[in-house]
Structure formats: structure tokens, C-alpha cells
Amino acid sequence: MDLRRGHGQQQPPPPPPPVIVQQPYPSLYSQPAPPHSQQPGLPPVPVAAHPHAHPQPYPYGTPGHAASALTPSSATSQGSFPSPQDTQPMHFGQEHARKKQKRNKPTLSCQECVDRKTKCDRGRPHCTACVRRQTPCVYAERANLIEKTNAAATNGRRITKPPKNQPGTYGSAPVPNLADRGPVSGSTGLLSHVPYSVPKASNVFGVGAEHPFANYWTCGGGLAEVVAVLPHKYQADVLLERYFECVDPVYPMIHRQTFYAEYEHFWQLSDEAKVVADASFIGLMLVIFALGTQFQFGTGTTISERKHSAEFYASASNQALRMFSYLSTASITSIQTMVLITYFLINDNHASDGWAFAGVLVRQAYAMGLHRDPNIVTPDATPFEKQQRRKLWQAVLLQDTFLVVLLSLPPSATHTDVKVEDLDDSSSIALSDPTDIAYIRASWTLANLVQETICSQRSLDMPICPTARAKSKIIGEFRSVYRSFPDSFRSWDADQLARLVNEKPRVVRQTLFLFSNYHHNLMLVHASDCPESSVNLRLVLESAHDAITAFFMLWELLEQEARVWWVFNHRAFLEAMCIGNALQEVEKTDGDRQLAYKDPLYARGRDDIEKMVAIMEIMGKESDVAESRVSVLKDLLK
């Protein structure tokens, strides 16, 4: 039979396959044997196996047995080669036994993915695969231990590499977060970041052009000059009460009983003793008076008069810190005073000064060792003193984190080994307000997560989530943190808060601030661009609506306080901007402008913007910044 075309001759049968005899192959990494031990005509003794040889569980054979012919251990000390018996191929049974060696590498995937033999991204608390399958996600104890160890090893070293600029694209790349886009870059005093630089001196964020601390002090006046401007005792009592009613619930870092004891003791001192008292405590009293004045309503004074009085007390507090030499000396009281001065500056429309002052604050907190575990740096301190240090570090961390989120600047309070779980309610700190410890823990846990996932990336205009898997993991972490909040901070509605505002106003303020913080940062995660997938606009609108609802509730229940809290105001404005940007993206994507009016979710987003415009118009009678925000939001509605 002819097996080839064009040829009439029958081909002979193919030759039998050659017998392959294992021979030692020379290796690229082997070294030639010494001349006296190398036989002529033979290759040098090999060190590594041939690339096509079968892999073996052990590099030199099984334990307790001679190595195979492809290893140097089979050669004798005189340089001889293995005998033919050693070069015979391995029997199938022996090879099969070696392949069944038990693996020593621990399984890090969840049990469900291991059983199903599917890929697991090892996300905590639930991997993406289990979330999609709606199956329980359980990890082995050893896997959880390794995960905790890795997290602890990287904690405190949050260094983010900047993106590599492509040639010709610097300054023209799109903003990687939908929440940061919009026609606001040229509006002075509108947002808290600068899109350009100018050669002359200017205020950094376009907010608050005048000096924050008016100079009423002489060179030789000293602390006596500050003590002389203290209000009367009955006026001080009223301002102190307003502070603990409006400000302390949101930032509970001062132990009320201890402070009141020192406060009453100070007023009992003689005039001569007051001028040599602790200058940092006098500064703390004065900044409390300044914040209390900001929240003093219905006294017959105008907004301008109230603002002037508050700024005067703040200037006196700063002068007292100068008498204390706060740049070279630090104490618990001086750090508390600096935290409150920063909040006052922000509320007083001095975001630029507040940001700069907070930088000094963080450095002094580091120098004092507040970022370290009190059991390590102050082992002999009382449990109360250790708790005070933890509470104060939490206040510094919280202020830095959420100020950074609003200003899109790098975080400073990043290196710490103070643990959230070490803050307990077994001491006398929680006697007066039992919900404070739960609120501090929840805020602290949220701040840690925001520091790790959002702050550095936004400060470098990098995507918060580089991949779809990373976004899913971060969202899962945020939801896990939210589930850890006490029920009183999660399970609420408008009617319930309306009833509680008269019975437990402290809990209402804490609930609204925590709820707003959480959903604002979740909105930033949802709004982050991802190279692998587009932004889910519906999830962005949902989280933005939840965040801005907290501000609407604060305005409805405590309108006067909502006017004062700059942080809450600015955050709500950014959320309204994000909603507007999302609605514009809907029109670009679907090409149907009417869809933004028909879909209930999109219609609710427009209602949120319109409601924010109405509130800003009311505030615009007192603030130029509010007027500018009204014009920007109205442009989004056109």
C-alpha cells in the first residue's frame, strides 16, 4: 500500500523506538571535577537534574535511601560514578509512593473554596467567592493566625508609592474618584484643597483669610494678662455646660469628674495663686469657653458678636499655651487643649490654620509617646492614667483621619501600637456616660480602617481600589466594621431619634456623627475608579444618600448645631457633589436624560441635592461659603 502521494513504492515499516538509557547530563550549574578524579571522555559530575527529568519530592532521593543517578551524592569520594543498578528507572509503585507525600504548606483559603476546589481571594471576613455563592466562609485556625500575623507585621508602615506619570499626561489625567470630580476647582473657599499654586503668599485652602488668633497681648504681660480676661464664674459655668452638652458627646476625651474637680479648685484660688497656676489647664478652660460660645444660642447676641467673643477666648487659650511653652513641652492637658483648638479653628472657617496647627499637635503627641501602648511606655501608671492616654490618642487619630479625608492630604497619625480592645469600661471613665466607650471604640475601629484603605491613596490621586477584587475586599471590611457597632448606633430611624433627642441627646449626636462618618467613607470606596470594572453608580448613590441623610437629620433635630459643625457641613456638601457627579455619569452612559428623572433612585438623588441647596440658602445669609456652594449645586441640577 502506498502511504505517500506521488510514489508507487511501499514504504518499509517504521523502526522500533530506541531504548532510552538514563545517562547523567551535564548541568549549567555544575563544576568540573578535579583533573585527577575525572575520567577521560566522560562529562563532569552533574549537580542539577536535567530540565525534563521527573520532579522528585526530595532533592537527593527519599530520606534514608541513596540518591538517584542525577545527583552528585551518588558519586563516591574518589569521583566514581554510580553503578548500573543505581541508574535503573524507578518502579511505578515507588514513584507513586513518593508523589503521595503529605504537603507541609498550610492551607490559607477558606474551607468552602478548598472543598469546592475553587479560587479563594482569602478576603476577611468573607471571601468574594463565598459572598457570590451565599455560603458560609470559615477559615482554619492556622490560616487566621497567619493572617493576623501578617496584618500586625505591616501595621504602622503604611507607605504608599505614588503613581508613575505617563509622558504628556501630567495634569490631564482624570480624577480617580467620582466623589472628587466637578466644576469646583476654581471656587475660592468652596473645597479644602488647592488645584493650583501661586507665587505669592496665600492661604492654603481658601478658607479663612485673616489671622486665626487676634493679638491682644503685650510682651511682658505673661500669664497674668490671660487670667485677667477670664469670664465671671457664672458665665464660665454656662459655657462649660454648653461644651459638655454639644461638643463632648462627639469628641469624648475629657474625663468630666476630674475636670470639674480641677475647675472648681482653680476658682477657689486667690488672685496671686491663679497667675502661677498650670498654664495648660487655663488654656484648656479658655478653649472650652470658646467652643461653648460657638454653641451658645438664644442669648440675644448677634452671630458676629458671638464669633468675636469665641475668637477672643481662643486667642487667650493660644496665649496660655505659649506661656506653657507648648512647642517644647507636652502634657495630657496641653494635648487636649490643642485638639480642641484645632476643632475650633475648623468650625470658625479656618481650615488652613487648623490643618497646620494639627501638624504640631500630632508631633507633640508622638513626642509624648501617646502612640505607644501605655503598658509599655508607662507601666507604673494607674489604670485610669493609662485609659486617659488611650482616649487622648484616639482623639488625635480620629481628628487626623477624618480631616485628611476631607482635605485629601496625607495622614500623619499612622504609627501606633495602641489597641482598640485595651480601652475597656471597667474603670471609672465610663461612670457618667456608659455609651462613650462603645462610641470611642466604634470610631477608633473605623478610623483605623480608613487610614489603611483610603487616606494615602486619595492624597496621591491614586485609585482606592486598584482591582475589582480589592474593592470587594475593602467593602467587606467596611461592612464587617459596621456590624461590630453596637445596636444603638445601627438600628435607628427618624422617629426613634426624634423621641430620643429629648431623652438621650448625647446618644443622638453620637449616632449621627458615627453614621455619617461610616457612609461617607463607604461612598468614597464605591466611587473609586477601578481599571478592571466601572463604578457602580447605584451603589454610589445609595451610600451617598445614607451619608447625607445623617446631616438632614441633624438639621431637623438640632438645626443650630448643624450650622456650627463645619465638618458635618462640608461632608454633606461633598456628598451632594458626589450625587450630582453620579447623575451626570448616568446621562453620559445611558444617553437618556429623562432616566435621571424616572428612576426612583436617581430621582431621590436629585431630591437630596435640592434639599441641600435649600439648607445652604438658609445658611447663605450668614456665610459666603454657603452662597458659593448653592451656586455650584444648582449648576449640577441644570
Side-chain angles (χ1 to χ4, degrees):
M1 180 178 178
D2 187 7
L3 300 178
R4 296 189 303 173
R5 296 181 182 179
H7 297 274
Q9 295 181 345
Q10 184 175 357
Q11 296 299 316
V19 178
I20 300 177
V21 179
Q22 288 188 349
Q23 294 289 344
Y25 289 92
S27 172
L28 294 175
Y29 304 101
S30 62
Q31 298 294 332
H36 68 274
S37 63
Q38 183 170 327
Q39 301 180 11
L42 291 177
V45 178
V47 174
H50 189 268
H52 300 290
H54 292 287
Q56 298 196 23
Y58 295 90
Y60 302 113
T62 57
H65 294 76
S68 65
L70 299 183
T71 62
S73 59
S74 60
T76 62
S77 58
Q78 288 82 12
S80 61
F81 284 89
S83 62
Q85 290 82 1
D86 294 331
T87 61
Q88 292 301 321
M90 204 183 336
H91 293 292
F92 174 79
Q94 296 175 345
E95 183 179 3
H96 184 66
R98 292 185 183 181
K99 287 184 177 180
K100 291 180 68 176
Q101 292 286 341
K102 186 176 180 181
R103 59 180 266 164
N104 292 324
K105 186 177 180 181
T107 300
L108 303 181
S109 301
C110 72
Q111 193 59 45
E112 189 71 19
C113 289
V114 172
D115 294 341
R116 293 174 179 262
K117 297 183 179 180
T118 56
K119 189 173 183 180
C120 180
D121 62 2
R122 302 170 186 173
R124 297 298 197 280
H126 309 290
C127 70
T128 305
C130 286
V131 171
R132 291 173 180 172
R133 291 191 299 256
Q134 296 296 312
T135 55
C137 188
V138 181
Y139 290 89
E141 212 174 296
R142 191 174 183 184
N144 288 329
L145 179 61
I146 293 175
E147 178 71 15
K148 290 180 181 178
T149 303
N150 293 338
T154 58
N155 185 29
R157 295 185 288 110
R158 306 184 187 110
I159 301 175
T160 306
K161 296 182 179 179
K164 296 180 180 179
N165 293 322
Q166 299 296 330
T169 62
Y170 181 79
S172 60
V175 179
N177 199 297
L178 183 66
D180 298 329
R181 300 174 192 168
V184 297
S185 59
S187 302
T188 302
L190 193 59
L191 282 181
S192 296
H193 55 75
V194 178
Y196 56 88
S197 60
V198 290
K200 62 181 182 179
S202 65
N203 83 327
V204 181
F205 302 114
V207 181
E210 67 276 8
H211 194 278
F213 304 118
N215 186 13
Y216 302 100
W217 321 106
T218 61
C219 293
L223 190 60
E225 204 170 40
V226 177
V227 173
V229 302
L230 286 171
H232 294 290
K233 177 67 163 54
Y234 71 91
Q235 292 176 323
D237 291 343
V238 173
L239 297 177
L240 189 62
E241 182 181 356
R242 290 301 295 167
Y243 167 82
F244 278 105
E245 180 182 352
C246 301
V247 182
D248 187 68
V250 182
Y251 305 115
M253 65 172 179
I254 297 178
H255 189 241
R256 186 183 303 190
Q257 291 90 338
T258 304
F259 177 84
Y260 265 105
E262 296 183 18
Y263 172 79
E264 294 295 340
H265 173 73
F266 174 82
W267 286 106
Q268 293 174 3
L269 295 175
S270 63
D271 293 340
E272 294 78 10
K274 287 180 181 177
V275 298
V276 294
D278 182 6
S280 64
F281 183 76
I282 296 176
L284 179 59
M285 286 193 302
L286 285 164
V287 71
I288 287 177
F289 298 156
L291 287 166
T293 303
Q294 286 185 327
F295 290 90
Q296 185 74 6
F297 313 116
T299 57
T301 58
T302 64
I303 296 175
S304 177
E305 292 172 343
R306 203 162 59 235
K307 175 181 172 65
H308 178 76
S309 298
E311 290 176 347
F312 177 77
Y313 287 135
S315 178
S317 176
N318 181 69
Q319 182 69 3
L321 284 183
R322 292 182 62 226
M323 296 298 101
F324 180 73
S325 301
Y326 73 102
L327 291 179
S328 59
T329 309
S331 68
I332 294 290
T333 307
S334 68
I335 299 297
Q336 290 173 337
T337 305
M338 295 176 73
V339 170
L340 295 182
I341 286 179
T342 302
Y343 281 127
F344 172 84
L345 292 174
I346 295 173
N347 284 346
D348 198 44
N349 206 27
H350 287 87
S352 304
D353 305 290
W355 166 257
F357 197 81
V360 179
L361 161 64
V362 174
R363 290 295 183 93
Q364 292 297 82
Y366 276 141
M368 194 177 168
L370 293 178
H371 65 297
R372 299 301 313 277
D373 185 351
N375 293 324
I376 298 176
V377 295
T378 57
D380 298 329
T382 65
F384 174 79
E385 292 170 343
K386 293 179 180 180
Q387 290 292 74
Q388 283 295 91
R389 291 178 65 92
R390 294 186 183 102
K391 287 179 65 177
L392 186 53
W393 173 252
Q394 183 270 345
V396 174
L397 174 68
L398 187 70
Q399 184 181 80
D400 177 69
T401 301
F402 296 113
L403 187 59
V404 159
V405 169
L406 294 180
L407 306 185
S408 298
L409 292 171
S412 301
T414 54
H415 296 71
T416 179
D417 58 4
V418 183
K419 299 177 182 178
V420 178
E421 54 269 20
D422 288 342
L423 186 69
D424 57 43
D425 51 3
S426 60
S427 66
S428 60
I429 293 179
L431 286 180
S432 58
D433 302 296
T435 62
D436 282 1
I437 294 297
Y439 173 74
I440 293 173
R441 281 179 177 172
S443 301
W444 195 346
T445 305
L446 178 61
N448 284 338
L449 179 59
V450 172
Q451 283 262 14
E452 294 172 357
T453 58
I454 294 179
C455 293
S456 296
Q457 289 79 355
R458 293 191 73 226
S459 69
L460 297 174
D461 286 334
M462 296 173 59
I464 296 175
C465 312
T467 63
R469 177 183 296 179
K471 175 178 281 192
S472 177
K473 181 179 180 180
I474 292 176
I475 292 173
E477 290 174 347
F478 268 90
R479 289 173 178 167
S480 177
V481 167
Y482 187 71
R483 288 194 297 269
S484 69
F485 292 170
D487 293 340
S488 58
F489 296 139
R490 290 187 293 118
S491 304
W492 61 271
D493 54 33
D495 295 335
Q496 181 183 7
L497 290 184
R499 292 191 302 268
L500 284 176
V501 73
N502 295 321
E503 302 172 4
K504 299 179 179 179
R506 189 178 189 88
V507 176
V508 171
R509 293 181 177 95
Q510 292 175 346
T511 299
L512 293 178
F513 266 77
L514 185 60
F515 191 82
S516 172
N517 271 335
Y518 170 78
H519 283 286
H520 181 85
N521 287 280
L522 184 62
M523 176 196 74
L524 295 177
V525 176
H526 282 306
S528 176
D529 273 344
C530 176
E532 297 182 0
S533 61
S534 58
V535 175
N536 189 325
L537 297 177
R538 302 189 72 87
L539 293 178
V540 172
L541 291 172
E542 286 283 357
S543 55
H545 170 75
D546 291 337
I548 203 171
T549 297
F551 176 73
F552 293 157
M553 283 297 303
L554 183 66
W555 179 268
E556 181 180 343
L557 300 176
L558 304 165
E559 178 181 335
Q560 295 297 330
E561 294 182 26
R563 294 169 181 261
V564 178
W565 284 115
W566 182 91
V567 171
F568 225 139
N569 273 273
H570 189 67
R571 197 157 50 212
F573 169 70
L574 295 180
E575 290 149 8
M577 285 289 304
C578 183
I579 293 173
N581 293 335
L583 293 178
Q584 289 184 347
E585 289 295 324
V586 170
E587 296 177 8
K588 294 177 183 178
T589 304
D590 298 337
D592 184 5
R593 186 177 180 83
Q594 296 300 320
L595 183 61
Y597 296 90
K598 297 178 181 178
D599 191 292
L601 181 62
Y602 303 147
R604 188 182 66 180
R606 291 183 60 84
D607 291 341
D608 289 339
I609 298 178
E610 291 174 354
K611 192 170 183 178
M612 189 66 188
V613 168
I615 293 175
M616 290 293 104
E617 285 178 339
I618 296 174
M619 296 181 60
K621 301 174 183 178
E622 309 166 359
S623 170
D624 295 336
V625 175
E627 283 187 17
S628 301
R629 289 174 172 174
V630 168
S631 62
V632 171
L633 293 178
K634 284 185 175 180
D635 289 340
L636 290 175
L637 293 173
K638 293 180 180 178

